[in-house]
Amino acid sequence: GGRGYGDMGDPNRTGRQSHSIFAFSTNKVSPFVSKLHDMVDDPTHRDYVRWSKDGRSFIITDEEKFERNLSGVLPVPVSFMVNMNNFHRELANYGFKKPDAYKLEFAHDGFTRGAPEETLTLVRQKENYGRYRKDMNVAGKPPVIMRA
């Protein structure tokens, strides 16, 4: 008999929980993605966040309660930065999309209910995210570099 896909007895397969924040690299799941996935998966959080019916997106049903429970999920240095604005920014940074502009629903091809670690590694920060936004001037155009 072959090994089942979900067989955790395979020594080469590691669960999401076993990775260390210090061993983080491009083939590891980001701590933000891992913690967010665990939060959405946890049935005790259903009163404020849950998977959509098809499991391809997650829905925040109580924004205030969700925000109060974001601590430890958002990678921010100080607690006052744990807020929905920074959460939205982080989701954008990782390429999440909103399927419905009127709902607090977010989707990413790699972020689904029951996704294995290999799939979750696809959810990674956009390259140069933030640097481009910082370099934009008021008109929304890249700055002109003057050569002396």
Side-chain angles (χ1 to χ4, degrees):
R3 292 188 102 76
Y5 184 71
D7 187 355
M8 295 306 274
D10 182 348
N12 297 321
R13 179 166 168 74
T14 56
R16 241 186 15 258
Q17 283 71 26
S18 68
H19 80 265
S20 157
I21 191 166
F22 302 111
F24 181 58
S25 69
T26 51
N27 62 348
K28 291 271 185 226
V29 180
S30 124
F32 169 71
V33 172
S34 178
K35 289 171 184 174
L36 179 61
H37 198 273
D38 290 345
M39 182 188 213
V40 179
D41 254 358
D42 189 332
T44 65
H45 299 161
R46 289 240 169 87
D47 56 332
Y48 57 89
V49 65
R50 63 176 171 78
W51 290 107
S52 61
K53 279 191 175 66
D54 65 4
R56 298 182 55 76
S57 60
F58 70 94
I59 301 163
I60 298 167
T61 53
D62 184 334
E63 194 173 6
E64 275 184 42
K65 205 165 191 180
F66 181 81
E67 189 174 43
R68 283 198 305 270
N69 287 277
L70 266 179
S71 171
V73 174
L74 268 177
V76 293
V78 282
S79 59
F80 72 81
M81 292 176 72
V82 177
N83 58 49
M84 287 306 285
N85 285 343
N86 282 333
F87 179 70
H88 285 278
R89 194 172 299 122
E90 200 65 12
L91 287 177
N93 186 359
Y94 280 90
F96 280 82
K97 304 273 184 265
K98 283 188 78 171
D100 181 339
Y102 299 101
K103 273 191 200 160
L104 280 172
E105 180 176 2
F106 304 92
H108 189 294
D109 290 343
F111 194 90
T112 55
R113 182 174 40 218
E117 183 177 15
E118 294 75 37
T119 307
L120 286 176
T121 60
L122 301 174
V123 187
R124 51 171 66 119
Q125 290 183 329
K126 295 175 182 175
E127 282 187 50
N128 296 334
Y129 181 83
R131 197 183 83 197
Y132 178 70
R133 285 177 38 174
K134 248 195 324 251
D135 291 348
M136 297 297 264
N137 66 17
V138 182
K141 296 184 179 88
V144 176
I145 291 143
M146 297 302 220
R147 303 245 182 256

